[in-house]
Amino acid sequence: MIIRLFKLATVVFVAAVLSACTTGGEKGNPTPASSSSTSSQSTSGSEVPARPSSLQLGSVDACKLLTPDQMKQIQAVATRPVELDLVRGAKSPSCHYRGEDSFTYTVGAVTHKGVAYWLGNPGNVNTKVISVADFGAVEIELKGGSGFDCSVAIDVADGQQLMVSYVPTSASEKDQSVLCGKAEKAADLALATLKTLK
């Protein structure tokens, strides 16, 4: 039953995100980054801060972006590689990290569109510019979907984004700020691993 609920939640989320997406390229240039080192700080405006470095996703295995120690920190116990339509235009190599309880994290390496994609006309999603370990990012949640899921897309390179989602598969988790906090924590961990890969 839990697996069926998760599959339904994933299908609904992907369909909603796809219907919210618009065609077109990147928009605007990044503004200078703030001097804060806060892992999850909200920034004003709709421009993504300049990234401190470029981290390419082309050959990254999404199921290795969370180490065994990091998986313990978020109580994930198993991985499963998948190809997902995270951003319209191409499938992205991704990984489901299943939790001990009723939840799943998804980590995806999007290499055909950067995070500015989410800031043009997001449609059925609400977006907020944040920072994750000094990298600009966009927090994404479905409009009217409080307690359903939360995603964080990190600006890691030109035209690329590291996308991390948290989807509870139990109706007991309804606090959107908690869901987004969990997505941001997992995004921070995945980004830390990505920085070590050459």
Side-chain angles (χ1 to χ4, degrees):
M1 181 65 175
I2 288 174
I3 292 173
R4 187 176 306 144
L5 284 173
F6 169 70
K7 286 181 180 175
L8 175 61
T10 301
V11 167
V12 171
F13 172 69
V14 171
V17 168
L18 286 176
S19 68
C21 297
T22 59
T23 57
E26 303 277 342
K27 176 184 170 186
N29 293 318
T31 56
S34 68
S35 58
S36 170
S37 61
T38 303
S39 242
S40 172
Q41 178 181 1
S42 181
T43 59
S44 60
S46 61
E47 296 287 330
V48 178
R51 72 184 80 88
S53 61
S54 182
L55 304 171
Q56 298 294 319
L57 293 170
S59 60
V60 169
D61 181 345
C63 284
K64 292 186 177 173
L65 283 174
L66 291 176
T67 67
D69 282 344
Q70 290 171 330
M71 287 175 63
K72 286 178 186 174
Q73 291 181 51
I74 60 169
Q75 299 179 322
V77 295
T79 62
R80 182 170 60 88
V82 289
E83 293 278 328
L84 296 174
D85 291 310
L86 297 175
V87 177
R88 180 179 287 172
K91 288 187 180 286
S92 298
S94 306
C95 187
H96 288 317
Y97 290 82
R98 184 175 54 80
E100 295 175 345
D101 295 320
S102 301
F103 64 84
T104 297
Y105 291 91
T106 299
V107 176
V110 179
T111 58
H112 63 286
K113 282 192 170 76
V115 296
Y117 177 80
W118 297 106
L119 301 177
N121 182 9
N124 290 331
V125 293
N126 291 320
T127 61
K128 177 172 68 172
V129 175
I130 61 172
S131 65
V132 176
D134 292 329
F135 279 73
V138 178
E139 186 178 275
I140 307 154
E141 58 186 78
L142 289 173
K143 285 183 179 176
S146 182
F148 179 73
D149 81 319
C150 187
S151 297
V152 175
I154 306 173
D155 175 36
V156 292
D158 288 343
Q160 299 187 19
Q161 56 182 292
L162 175 63
M163 196 163 181
V164 179
S165 302
Y166 176 77
V167 180
T169 50
S170 165
S172 63
E173 287 189 272
K174 295 190 180 294
D175 188 330
Q176 191 65 35
S177 65
V178 171
L179 270 58
C180 289
K182 290 182 176 184
E184 289 168 22
K185 178 177 180 178
D188 187 51
L189 293 171
L191 180 62
T193 301
L194 180 61
K195 289 177 182 177
T196 69
L197 303 178
K198 301 297 180 190

